[in-house]
Amino acid sequence: LGLALPRDLPALTRRFADPGVADAILGDAAIAALLARRHAEQRAALLAYLAQQGAMDGDRLAVADIGWRGSIQDNLARLLPGRPVAGFYLALLPALSAAPPNATKRGFLLQPGDPPRLARRLRFVAPLEFAASDGTPTTLGYALRDGRAEPLRDSLAVVPHASADFRALQAAISDGVVAAATLRTPDPAFARSLLLQVVETPPPALARLFFEAWRDDRFGAGTLRRG
């Protein structure tokens, strides 16, 4: 986060998930003050960025994503408490905490109330995120410069967007999406069956492309890993 943390807090040398560590770190007065200042700065910068992108022009805001639990949408809803924020996801797993009252969510292939076995089969969205990625680095935050908000990009990008095989994969997916959209009405059951075929029994060339590439899992697992 770029914060100058206190050096005399023993909890900083332990795993955040260990018992009592999170409370000790977040309850430290110096760390709490640093986090509060960063939160205020990032909130102002993000609001300015959303305004620049035209996201503040309408009465409602829509979020479309491959899906997991909708946490990005929840954060936007908390940032804009007076504006309805609707989320549309390919697969939506049950939330770990209650969504803000101005957030509504809908999954196409998977809804939170679907059978657990189906949720287990569709819980791996990493291959879908991989297929939809490009060379744009992750945004780590925002900064106000000369009256404008700018995204702060990560210096690391591991998606093989320059690979001929990867470009062929994305072109084929794009063509397939267009063809499916023009040839038939949206059908979750049919789309689910096609997706599960690819995810559970992928063509060898596709599996090889995925497992040879690096995946950025620093946010979830704190590490880079092979696909």
Side-chain angles (χ1 to χ4, degrees), residues 95-110:
L96 298 178
S97 59
N102 57 325
T104 58
K105 302 175 186 177
R106 181 179 178 182
F108 179 62
L109 296 175
L110 181 69

Side-chain angles (χ1 to χ4, degrees), residues 107-160:
F108 179 62
L109 296 175
L110 181 69
Q111 292 270 20
D114 284 334
R117 183 173 182 275
L118 178 61
R120 179 172 178 79
R121 294 176 70 192
L122 287 168
R123 76 190 187 280
F124 295 110
V125 295
L128 305 180
E129 293 174 339
F130 172 73
S133 297
D134 61 13
T136 305
T138 299
T139 296
L140 301 178
Y142 299 86
L144 289 171
R145 294 171 180 162
D146 298 326
R148 288 186 60 82
E150 298 179 1
L152 301 176
R153 305 291 192 185
D154 194 352
S155 60
L156 179 66
V158 296
V159 176

Side-chain angles (χ1 to χ4, degrees), residues 130 156-161 213-216 224-225:
F130 172 73
L156 179 66
V158 296
V159 176
H161 58 89
W214 287 95
R215 183 159 65 91
D216 187 351
L224 296 174
R225 62 179 70 201

Side-chain angles (χ1 to χ4, degrees), residues 15-210:
R15 293 177 67 251
F16 194 74
D18 288 347
V21 172
D23 291 339
I25 292 176
L26 298 178
D28 181 85
I31 291 179
L34 289 169
L35 290 175
R37 186 180 69 198
R38 176 177 169 80
H39 177 268
E41 293 171 349
Q42 286 298 297
R43 184 180 188 279
L46 178 54
L47 285 170
Y49 182 78
L50 291 173
Q52 288 170 198
Q53 301 302 312
M56 311 291 277
D57 296 344
D59 295 330
R60 297 174 59 86
L61 187 66
V63 176
D65 200 356
I66 289 171
W68 186 241
R69 302 183 191 275
S71 56
I72 291 177
Q73 178 193 347
D74 289 346
N75 288 333
L76 286 172
R78 295 184 183 99
L79 186 69
L80 306 167
R83 182 175 307 226
V85 183
F88 302 92
Y89 301 91
L90 192 62
L92 183 63
L93 293 168
L96 298 178
S97 59
N102 57 325
T104 58
K105 302 175 186 177
R106 181 179 178 182
F108 179 62
L109 296 175
L110 181 69
Q111 292 270 20
D114 284 334
R117 183 173 182 275
L118 178 61
R120 179 172 178 79
R121 294 176 70 192
L122 287 168
R123 76 190 187 280
F124 295 110
V125 295
L128 305 180
E129 293 174 339
F130 172 73
S133 297
D134 61 13
T136 305
T138 299
T139 296
L140 301 178
Y142 299 86
L144 289 171
R145 294 171 180 162
D146 298 326
R148 288 186 60 82
E150 298 179 1
L152 301 176
R153 305 291 192 185
D154 194 352
S155 60
L156 179 66
V158 296
V159 176
H161 58 89
S163 161
D165 290 341
F166 187 73
R167 292 199 303 270
L169 168 65
Q170 290 193 316
I173 291 173
S174 179
D175 291 344
V177 168
V178 173
T182 56
L183 292 178
R184 58 188 303 132
T185 57
D187 184 339
F190 179 69
R192 185 185 299 137
S193 68
L194 292 179
L195 176 61
L196 287 172
Q197 287 178 33
V198 174
V199 172
E200 296 182 340
T201 56
L206 176 57
R208 184 166 55 251
L209 177 64
F210 178 72

